Amino acid sequence: MNGIHDMGGMHGFGPVKREDHEPVFHHEWEGRVFGMFIASQVPVPEGKRYKIETMDPQQYITSSYYERWMQACIQACMDAGVLTADDLEARMSVLRDHPGAASPRAEDPERLDSWQSRIRAPRSIRRESNRQPQFAVGDAVRARNIHPVGHTRLPRYVRGQPGVITRFYGFHDVQDHLLPPGTDAPPEPVYAVRFEAQTLWGNAAESNGALYIDMWERYLEPAPEMRGES
């Protein structure tokens, strides 16, 4: 989908600020939100990332990274009927009147150990497949000019632009493929594609600059010269 979250290549937002020795979490509440996001059992058919991407644009821009995650958790719980707007407002009212009040806690060591083991367990993201990749290293390709419904990792600023395959990563799950709950998406080839900076942004870009983007095969089509077009 197209939305304010797809900010890559957009102007007017200033430089990306790099923080030396950046901590994993800047505040304790961010770690709690991360835990809620990962361990929540509330079903979200469209995925929590989709909830983030459908936030009000003004709210999205003015929210921090984990504030967006928290909003996604809240919206998912509301959509599932686990939480209502009245429930949320009642709790927020208590905190406004008593900001120093202790938050309720539920201790479940067994569940905690289970989730920590799951998060820390090494696992390969590669998948096995009998199909043949459509492209090879060195092939000229073009990013499809498509606008999928739901979450997609195809940046708007490369759609319709030519590039070259520089690496083949094997087969991986498609993370923006919407399927019924409990259904796995068929794995697809993933490639690293090189896009020349001036192709994307014109003469304002450095002459020798390039951008490498990892892309699923569904995002790509043969360049005109590969199809024998003029």
Side-chain angles (χ1 to χ4, degrees):
M1 63 173 292
N2 297 325
I4 189 62
H5 66 281
D6 192 358
M7 301 174 70
M10 295 178 66
H11 297 280
F13 292 97
V16 176
K17 297 180 180 179
R18 179 177 178 179
E19 183 178 348
D20 292 333
H21 310 296
E22 182 177 6
V24 176
F25 303 112
H26 289 85
H27 308 282
E28 183 180 354
W29 69 265
E30 294 180 337
R32 294 180 64 83
V33 169
F34 176 80
M36 291 163 53
F37 200 92
I38 297 298
S40 172
Q41 299 297 304
V42 176
V44 186
E46 304 93 347
K48 294 189 182 75
R49 188 178 293 274
Y50 181 71
K51 298 299 183 187
I52 294 175
E53 294 169 356
T54 52
M55 288 174 60
D56 175 79
Q58 182 64 29
Q59 182 185 18
Y60 183 93
I61 291 176
T62 57
S63 297
S64 67
Y65 184 76
Y66 283 107
E67 283 176 336
R68 296 168 188 164
W69 281 41
M70 180 171 60
Q71 178 60 33
C73 288
I74 292 172
Q75 190 60 52
C77 288
M78 287 185 173
D79 291 348
V82 176
L83 178 70
T84 68
D86 290 341
D87 293 334
L88 181 62
E89 176 56 33
R91 181 58 186 164
M92 291 176 64
S93 178
V94 170
L95 294 176
R96 281 193 295 265
D97 295 338
H98 307 281
S103 299
R105 298 177 63 91
E107 302 293 342
D108 191 340
E110 184 175 334
R111 185 179 181 189
L112 175 61
D113 289 342
S114 174
W115 274 104
Q116 286 182 334
S117 298
R118 179 176 176 180
I119 292 172
R120 294 169 179 169
R123 53 181 176 174
S124 175
I125 59 175
R126 282 179 172 265
R127 299 291 180 260
E128 298 296 329
S129 178
N130 294 324
R131 57 178 286 192
Q132 292 297 313
Q134 182 179 358
F135 305 108
V137 172
D139 282 351
V141 294
R142 183 165 58 190
R144 295 181 182 274
N145 188 12
I146 55 177
H147 306 273
V149 176
H151 171 67
T152 181
R153 299 198 177 197
L154 173 60
R156 276 182 297 190
Y157 62 89
V158 301
R159 296 176 191 177
Q161 300 297 337
V164 176
I165 302 291
T166 61
R167 186 174 178 180
F168 172 56
Y169 291 110
F171 288 80
H172 299 263
D173 292 334
V174 181
Q175 297 184 20
D176 59 354
H177 191 71
L178 298 181
L179 292 173
T183 304
D184 293 329
E188 280 192 10
V190 176
Y191 310 90
V193 184
R194 176 187 170 107
F195 295 90
E196 300 302 323
Q198 289 197 339
T199 299
L200 300 178
W201 295 296
N203 293 331
E206 296 179 0
S207 59
N208 61 345
L211 192 65
Y212 292 80
I213 301 180
D214 297 339
M215 309 182 76
W216 277 282
E217 192 170 87
R218 67 177 54 207
Y219 296 162
L220 301 170
E221 61 185 359
E225 55 266 27
M226 289 183 64
R227 297 196 300 252
E229 299 179 3
S230 58

